[in-house]
């Protein structure tokens, strides 16, 4: 596709995290001349603090289309990881052994079963296998569970990866594809000009034919510049990482996973704390206590790292994908599942952006849904 008059690039992606990097990588793969503008390390970095799940089960209650979008990405992840490895030599350690979501009481297990049933009873929802396992059945699959575990839900479509290696692979792939990576380029203004856009930064202007806003929390500020809206908010989550230990857990278990390197990641908090990423000892203690009830052997391990990071959450928790009606060529992409949806952003979303238009089935993900009056 030819560039717009006065443009240096076919498309600029604003935001160098997982959403922006995967989208830029997909665009470059299609032959687009791409610039990736990254604010730099002063930015809040959800992509460096996430839990690295490629997760399907339980997603889409209230928006069945999201269940289908999530499954599509998970199904595309093997191809995506293979393409990255073939291009860069970096193995992102993707594995899809199926995932468990544990319950610490019969009441919790029943609530989980009802939640999944409601999700799968939605009209038009994608069908996939899952099951509810009682304690005896679960112990055959996860022999190290503690006495408090009543059972779990299981879905064979769930998996995980090494997300830091994923971000590294994407950026290595971008470099090999000739993408112009422009760090420390906070976008101050976006102006429609010459049939395209001028992105004004502290280091000068960048001319592009199309622009993709994938800047996470900063999309709130940027979206109105191109006639769009990004009603997102930060949600803090804590993560604990233990020392490396013997392999005992191949499957991701909701908020506990053993990494390919041997350490165990634990993350189970959802906090309204603004953009504060300070670690709270009380929250960490609560997370650790629940994890030890599920796998008592975790109580014998040393903690080597703890951090807090911010999810990018819309009002209803679902992604926002939209193209501007008033500034053609401007697109918005934001979600809190940057790892799970990375395959879609690279292999499904990028082709539509390259073509200059999102298809009608993306309308459900538009921010316009937040302005539909609720029935009395």
């Amino acid at each position: 596709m030819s560039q717009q008059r006065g443009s240096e690039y076919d498309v600029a992606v604003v935001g160098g995290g997982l959403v922006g990097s995967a989208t830029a990588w997909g665009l470059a793969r299609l032959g687009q001349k791409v610039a990736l503008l990254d604010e730099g390390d002063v930015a809040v970095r959800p992509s460096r603090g996430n839990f690295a799940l490629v997760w399907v089960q339980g997603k889409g209650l209230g928006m069945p289309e999201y269940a289908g979008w999530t499954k599509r990405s998970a199904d595309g992840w093997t191809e995506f990881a293979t393409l990255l490895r073939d291009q860069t030599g970096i193995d992102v350690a993707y594995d899809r052994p199926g995932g468990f979501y544990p319950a610490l009481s019969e009441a919790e297990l029943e609530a989980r079963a009802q939640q999944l049933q409601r999700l799968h009873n939605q009209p038009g929802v994608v069908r996939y296998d899952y099951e509810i396992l009682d304690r005896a059945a679960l112990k055959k699959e996860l022999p190290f569970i503690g006495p408090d575990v009543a059972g779990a839900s299981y879905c064979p479509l769930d998996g995980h990866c090494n997300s830091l290696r994923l971000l590294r692979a994407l950026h290595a792939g971008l470099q090999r594809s000739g993408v112009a990576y422009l760090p420390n380029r906070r976008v101050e203004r976006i102006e429609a000009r010459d049939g395209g856009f001028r992105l004004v930064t502290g280091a000068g202007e960048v001319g592009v034919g199309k622009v993709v806003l994938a800047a996470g929390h900063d999309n709130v500020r940027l979206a109105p510049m191109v006639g769009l809206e990004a009603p997102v908010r930060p949600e803090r989550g804590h993560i604990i990482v233990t020392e490396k230990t013997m392999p005992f857990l191949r499957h991701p278990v909701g908020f506990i996973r053993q990494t390919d390197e041997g350490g165990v990641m634990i993350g189970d908090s959802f906090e309204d704390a603004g953009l504060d990423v300070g670690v709270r000892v009380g929250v960490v203690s609560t997370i650790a206590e629940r994890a030890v009830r599920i796998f008592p052997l975790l109580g014998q391990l040393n903690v080597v790292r703890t951090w807090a990071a911010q999810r990018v959450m819309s009002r209803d928790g679902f992604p926002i994908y939209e193209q501007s009606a008033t500034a053609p060529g401007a697109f918005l992409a934001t979600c809190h599942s940057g790892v799970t949806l990375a395959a879609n952003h690279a292999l499904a979303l990028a082709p539509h952006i390259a073509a200059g238009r999102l298809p009608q089935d993306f309308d459900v993900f538009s921010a316009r849904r937040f302005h539909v009056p609720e029935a009395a």
Side-chain angles (χ1 to χ4, degrees):
M1 182 176 293
S2 62
Q3 295 167 235
Q4 297 288 340
R5 180 168 58 88
S7 298
E8 302 163 55
Y9 303 96
D10 293 315
V11 57
V13 178
V14 182
L18 284 174
V19 176
S21 296
T23 305
W25 182 86
L27 287 164
R29 188 168 170 265
L30 297 169
Q32 296 275 287
K33 187 177 181 182
V34 182
L36 180 63
L37 282 72
D38 194 3
E39 187 175 4
D41 285 338
V42 297
V44 176
R45 290 291 192 184
S47 293
R48 295 182 183 176
N50 67 72
F51 199 61
L53 294 178
V54 180
W55 198 257
V56 176
Q57 67 166 297
K59 293 192 174 184
L61 183 58
M63 183 185 281
E65 296 85 357
Y66 181 50
W69 181 242
T70 299
K71 181 179 181 297
R72 177 178 176 176
S73 194
D75 289 343
W77 241 94
T78 296
E79 177 188 3
F80 175 53
T82 300
L83 289 169
L84 281 173
R85 185 189 61 208
D86 290 347
Q87 182 189 32
T88 68
I90 299 172
D91 182 0
V92 300
Y94 173 61
D95 189 25
R96 196 186 201 185
F100 295 89
Y101 195 89
L104 286 172
S105 68
E106 292 296 338
E108 272 190 26
L109 188 61
E110 178 60 25
R112 180 65 173 174
Q114 291 180 6
Q115 178 193 41
L116 293 176
Q117 185 175 29
R118 290 197 306 273
L119 189 159
H120 286 268
N121 283 344
Q122 295 176 113
V125 74
V126 65
R127 300 296 173 184
Y128 59 83
D129 292 335
Y130 76 94
E131 56 185 313
I132 303 297
L133 303 179
D134 62 17
R135 176 178 172 78
L138 180 61
K139 194 166 179 60
K140 292 179 181 178
E141 303 296 331
L142 302 176
F144 293 97
I145 59 171
D148 292 343
V149 180
S153 59
Y154 169 76
C155 176
L157 303 182
D158 297 328
H160 55 160
C161 71
N162 185 314
S163 61
L164 291 180
R165 210 177 293 163
L166 170 62
L167 189 59
R168 175 185 162 205
L170 284 168
H171 277 259
L174 292 170
Q175 185 177 28
R176 295 192 179 199
S177 299
V179 171
Y181 176 62
L182 307 177
N184 304 312
R185 296 290 185 100
R186 184 178 192 268
V187 175
E188 302 296 342
R189 296 196 315 278
I190 305 174
E191 302 172 354
R193 193 188 304 175
D194 300 326
F197 301 90
R198 305 299 292 182
L199 278 58
V200 180
T201 79
E205 296 186 4
V206 180
V208 300
K210 298 185 292 288
V211 60
V212 182
L213 302 182
H217 300 295
D218 206 29
N219 279 340
V220 175
R221 178 181 65 89
L222 294 169
M225 298 181 187
V226 291
L228 292 168
E229 179 187 10
V232 297
R233 61 176 176 83
E235 180 183 79
R236 187 173 62 192
H238 280 71
I239 290 179
I240 302 169
V241 182
T242 75
E243 63 184 318
K244 296 176 183 179
T245 188
M246 66 171 187
F248 78 97
L249 184 61
R250 181 189 172 198
H251 302 266
V253 180
F255 41 87
I256 303 169
R257 54 179 290 265
Q258 187 167 25
T259 72
D260 60 299
E261 298 168 336
V264 179
M265 294 184 72
I266 305 164
D268 185 24
S269 68
F270 307 88
E271 309 149 54
D272 184 2
L275 290 174
D276 179 9
V277 291
V279 173
R280 297 294 181 265
V281 174
V283 175
V284 172
S285 297
T286 300
I287 294 170
E289 179 184 13
R290 182 174 173 85
V292 170
R293 289 178 66 193
I294 294 169
F295 292 111
L297 62 80
L298 294 176
Q300 303 170 24
L301 301 178
N302 293 315
V303 171
V304 295
R305 291 191 304 282
T306 301
W307 66 79
Q310 297 291 350
R311 302 177 184 92
V312 182
M313 298 294 294
S314 68
R315 292 176 189 169
D316 57 9
F318 299 122
I320 303 172
Y321 304 109
E322 194 163 357
Q323 63 191 62
S324 176
T326 59
F331 298 85
L332 172 70
T334 184
C335 72
H336 76 275
S337 295
V339 176
T340 296
L341 297 178
N344 269 359
H345 295 152
L347 304 178
L349 178 64
H352 297 310
I353 293 172
R357 184 171 181 80
L358 299 182
Q360 189 174 0
D361 58 2
F362 274 75
D363 287 351
V364 68
F365 296 118
S366 165
R368 294 189 302 271
R369 69 183 184 263
F370 300 114
H371 300 291
V372 176
E374 295 184 4

